[in-house]
Amino acid sequence: MADDKDTKPPSASPPPAPPAGGGPPPDRPAAASGATPGAPAAPAAPAAPAAPKPDPLKDPVPSRAVDLLKDHFADQILEVSYHAGMPIVVLRKERVAEIAAFLRDQADLRMDYLSNLTAVHWPKREKPFEVVYHPFSTSLRHRLTLKVPLAEGEETPSLCGVWPTANWHEREVFDLFGIRFAGHPDLTRILMTDEWVGHPLRKDYPLEGNPGDHLQYREVTTAEHVYKYEKATIRGFGWKKEIEKTGVGRG
Amino acid sequence: MFRTEEMEINMGPQHPSTHGVLRLKLQLDGEQIKEMRPVIGYLHRGVEKLSEHRTYAMIEPLTDRLDYVAAISENLGYCGAVEKLMGLQIPPRAQSIRVVLAELQRIASHLLWLGTHALDLGAMTVFFYTFREREIILDLFEAFCGARLTYNSMRIGGLLEDVPRGWFERVRHFLKIFPGRMKEYEDLLTVNRIFLGRTKGVGVLSAADAIAYGVSGPPLRASGVNYDVRKALPYSSYDQFEFDVPLGSHGDTYDRYLVRMEELRQSCRIIRQALDRMPDGEVRAKVPKYIKPPAGEVYHVVESPRGEQGFYIVSTGGEMPYRVRFRAPSFVNLQALPLMCRAGLVADVVAVIGSIDIVLGDCDR
């Protein structure tokens, strides 16, 4: 899908345009009338860009962490958005370690637990990588998402000194994305073998085989490809219709 | 005079007590461990990469294969994450059945852990006892969805089907016999001198270290940190049930054993409440046939038997997720293993690995 065409993070934009590539048409009305008030209605999106439909999923939630970050590190914050009750703060990379230590040590935040650290590859953006942190406070029980956009080959400070658990997470991000963390004590591959070439979770890395091997390599980029492939190989989607028709195999 | 030097030995990846394919490089001074380096990745299947090329509904079977001894927890977490991303409301009956399934799964997983952990320490009988009860639970799952290990029984928006007739009575029967069976395990282990000798004071993890290293689940609670996702950030109607979070005080292998034994009891308590107040109604919300969550991202955590199981999903509005990350509790807990084993004995490594209850399928993804 041409998912990645906007250079802004998707959460900031008005209701996203109907996905390009033309999904199967019958599901459009079903998606709009279903039990998902938050789903952007397709017909409204192109007509009224001035008044975007309020989306309960994107509603801001009160967050002490975001307030304090705005107070202390206003120049480091690039953007704040919300999704499904989680504040998402996009930061510059320069003072990330300092901000992490602030979140951990501040008396009314106490985010002592790094729940998750990962990365996302957006090849069409100006800064194609995004390192994502999910700190959590075991005593106050609040969460936050921090994001740090990075250019190709750019390093970001390692957070091993703040949260030791970042060690393996950062090794994994290095292994699968090729992002380097400055100051990491042991930045080696962790899931792939040491001799591995390439970083599998980059979007340009093929799912199977190499581009030269015509038998194994296949470009799987859209849901249509997946459906086509499944139909061609396994049992396809005919089985569902079969069950609806005959009742055999239900339950 | 004799010369002494440190020795480096390799434990695994084909060692029976490493519960899968975990390799540990040990640096020894005699019997004492100086340094340890876990080497993982032998079971890496690229599930995250695969998930980027599957539709949302097609990923659920993949999650079964992550933590294959607690597949329901993975299903529950994954479906919960997608539902949160879409803003879906799940019917109360589906939520309650999910809780029953997840807690049965927790019991089954803990029983497998207890049997193999005791077996590692030389107590063979426990293994036969726990697998006898685990069999009952697997039969229950088989009656529910036809599979015994990789269930794929939940759907985004609820469950595939309601439970079969008479299933709740079978669960009640299990709850009736289980406390007696638990007494059998405890008679064998809790005050067993050999077991105490192998576990007390072994593999101590302090609360501060546990938090700093991101340890979760029973190992974290055995160190005295009160963090259980079911209580801290309730999901799937867990806030409606009364249960206690057992805590340890020493953070050693024995405390981790005690915490899990108490969790077995608490799980029974939750299931009993869920059965007593089982709501009627639908088991599946109205979900569009092609699931296309709006652009955005979500990080959803559930308490799997091994700890905090996180699901980070980035959507760009398409039929397939843009990025999926499975935050595996085994992966993170394993990171604290060198800390727990430092200055211990080689024989204790087996006990400590058993006590953090890793599943390498979960760890390597």
Side-chain angles (χ1 to χ4, degrees):
Chain A
M1 283 241 161
D3 293 329
D4 191 36
K5 57 183 182 291
D6 59 335
T7 50
K8 277 184 295 182
S11 46
S13 51
D27 74 302
R28 295 303 310 173
S33 64
T36 57
K53 214 174 155 207
D55 187 345
L57 277 176
K58 308 266 188 245
D59 280 347
V61 286
S63 166
R64 182 88 182 119
V66 175
D67 297 344
L68 280 178
L69 281 181
K70 276 181 178 162
D71 287 350
H72 289 81
F73 299 95
D75 56 326
Q76 295 294 309
I77 298 177
L78 294 170
E79 190 198 324
V80 179
S81 61
Y82 300 85
H83 194 96
M86 173 89 101
I88 302 163
V89 182
V90 184
L91 296 170
R92 288 180 208 280
K93 69 159 189 154
E94 281 78 20
R95 290 168 71 191
V96 169
E98 200 183 319
I99 292 174
F102 172 80
L103 290 174
R104 184 193 60 183
D105 299 332
Q106 190 71 12
D108 46 355
L109 297 180
R110 279 187 277 170
M111 297 185 119
D112 47 4
Y113 189 91
L114 182 65
S115 180
N116 184 32
L117 190 166
T118 187
V120 186
H121 188 198
W122 303 92
K124 286 171 192 159
R125 288 190 186 171
E126 189 187 347
K127 292 204 163 184
F129 293 100
E130 206 171 54
V131 181
V132 184
Y133 304 91
H134 289 108
F136 174 69
S137 166
T138 50
S139 46
L140 303 174
R141 297 179 176 174
H142 60 110
R143 282 192 184 284
L144 183 67
T145 304
L146 299 177
K147 287 184 175 183
V148 179
L150 293 175
E152 176 75 56
E154 204 176 354
E155 283 192 347
T156 181
S158 165
L159 295 190
C160 293
V162 185
W163 294 298
T165 180
N167 188 325
W168 279 23
H169 288 294
E170 285 176 354
R171 277 177 71 191
E172 188 187 315
V173 169
F174 163 70
D175 189 358
L176 302 180
F177 288 90
I179 299 171
R180 302 195 71 89
F181 292 88
H184 190 285
D186 173 33
L187 199 61
T188 51
R189 287 191 183 267
I190 186 165
L191 291 180
M192 312 302 285
T193 55
D194 291 341
E195 314 81 51
W196 199 267
V197 179
H199 301 287
L201 277 184
R202 290 187 175 208
K203 289 285 172 184
D204 48 8
Y205 193 94
L207 178 64
E208 276 177 28
N210 296 311
D213 314 339
H214 68 284
L215 280 180
Q216 274 158 23
Y217 180 71
R218 60 189 171 94
E219 187 94 29
V220 186
T221 44
T222 68
E224 281 72 48
H225 278 133
V226 175
Y227 291 138
K228 213 167 137 194
Y229 179 76
E230 294 291 329
K231 236 180 215 161
T233 51
I234 319 171
R235 54 189 173 177
F237 285 97
W239 62 276
K240 184 133 198 211
K241 239 178 230 161
E242 200 65 23
I243 289 177
E244 277 164 11
K245 210 161 64 192
T246 61
V248 178
R250 190 189 291 276
Chain B
M1 281 304 286
F2 296 112
R3 192 170 59 90
T4 62
E5 63 178 35
E6 288 184 359
M7 184 169 65
E8 196 168 291
I9 67 161
N10 200 27
M11 191 170 169
Q14 312 294 350
H15 191 282
S17 75
T18 54
H19 298 270
V21 277
L22 167 68
R23 177 176 164 216
L24 301 169
K25 282 198 220 166
L26 306 175
Q27 198 156 5
L28 301 178
D29 179 9
E31 273 283 289
Q32 207 179 40
I33 293 164
K34 286 278 162 205
E35 207 53 63
M36 170 196 273
R37 187 180 161 85
V39 181
I40 59 167
Y42 292 92
L43 214 54
H44 180 57
R45 294 149 293 173
V47 175
E48 291 172 10
K49 182 81 176 171
L50 282 172
S51 302
E52 291 173 9
H53 300 80
R54 296 275 189 284
T55 59
Y56 284 92
M58 290 160 99
I59 294 171
E60 203 198 323
L62 295 180
T63 63
D64 282 332
R65 272 87 188 161
L66 293 172
D67 183 351
Y68 39 77
V69 303
I72 288 282
S73 308
E74 306 271 343
N75 290 170
L76 176 64
Y78 172 70
C79 292
V82 179
E83 285 151 9
K84 204 167 166 186
L85 188 60
M86 299 170 77
L88 268 183
Q89 289 300 320
I90 309 306
R93 185 176 172 84
Q95 288 190 4
S96 288
I97 296 177
R98 281 179 172 192
V99 167
V100 173
L101 291 171
E103 293 307 316
L104 280 175
Q105 181 72 90
R106 191 180 312 279
I107 295 175
S109 169
H110 280 3
L111 287 178
L112 181 123
W113 158 79
L114 181 62
T116 52
H117 183 45
L119 191 65
D120 286 344
L121 300 179
M124 199 157 190
T125 322
V126 188
F127 182 80
F128 298 120
Y129 283 8
T130 58
F131 270 59
R132 180 184 61 191
E133 274 73 69
R134 183 167 177 265
E135 195 62 24
I136 302 176
I137 299 181
L138 295 191
D139 286 345
L140 283 171
F141 279 124
E142 195 177 3
F144 170 62
C145 65
R148 291 167 60 82
L149 213 59
T150 47
Y151 309 107
N152 189 24
S153 62
M154 290 181 195
R155 291 294 179 272
I156 294 160
L159 299 165
L160 175 63
E161 299 231 327
D162 209 329
V163 295
R165 214 174 299 132
W167 194 79
F168 287 140
E169 281 67 49
R170 289 175 68 180
V171 177
R172 275 186 203 281
H173 175 69
F174 172 77
L175 292 179
K176 210 157 80 189
I177 60 170
F178 189 62
R181 304 285 170 89
M182 268 199 74
K183 194 171 172 301
E184 291 180 8
Y185 321 143
E186 293 194 311
D187 285 350
L188 284 170
L189 291 177
T190 306
V191 288
N192 180 329
R193 279 184 66 182
I194 304 171
F195 186 74
L196 287 175
R198 290 297 306 274
T199 57
K200 269 216 153 169
V202 170
V204 178
L205 184 69
S206 73
D209 281 343
I211 290 178
Y213 277 83
V215 174
S216 55
L220 178 69
R221 294 191 283 276
S223 298
V225 180
N226 187 353
Y227 171 47
D228 183 320
V229 185
R230 293 174 291 172
K231 277 270 191 224
L233 308 159
Y235 55 92
S236 191
S237 77
Y238 266 110
D239 46 349
Q240 298 168 13
F241 302 111
E242 245 177 67
F243 62 98
D244 299 325
V245 178
L247 296 178
S249 47
H250 304 97
D252 58 1
T253 304
Y254 186 65
D255 273 16
R256 293 193 270 276
Y257 159 79
L258 291 180
V259 164
R260 286 203 181 87
M261 293 308 269
E262 186 55 35
E263 278 191 7
L264 288 173
R265 282 197 197 87
Q266 297 300 330
S267 291
C268 290
R269 207 172 140 195
I270 297 172
I271 299 173
R272 213 167 279 131
Q273 294 173 42
L275 292 183
D276 288 345
R277 310 183 217 147
M278 183 60 67
D280 287 327
E282 288 290 307
V283 292
R284 201 167 176 188
K286 286 218 177 340
V287 182
K289 194 170 177 189
Y290 293 93
I291 293 162
K292 282 187 186 171
E297 59 172 66
V298 71
Y299 182 62
H300 182 65
V301 289
V302 296
E303 182 76 24
S304 95
R306 259 147 284 284
E308 181 187 301
Q309 179 83 45
F311 294 81
Y312 177 61
I313 302 179
V314 180
S315 159
T316 48
E319 278 184 68
M320 300 190 289
Y322 188 76
R323 168 95 172 94
V324 181
R325 210 258 166 159
F326 303 103
R327 188 263 193 206
S330 302
F331 177 80
V332 186
N333 289 359
L334 189 58
Q335 200 179 168
L337 182 68
L339 207 69
M340 295 187 222
C341 290
R342 197 160 291 153
L345 302 178
V346 183
D348 292 340
V349 174
V350 176
V352 178
I353 295 176
S355 76
I356 58 173
D357 190 18
I358 45 166
V359 168
L360 269 298
D362 183 34
C363 178
D364 294 347
R365 285 154 284 146

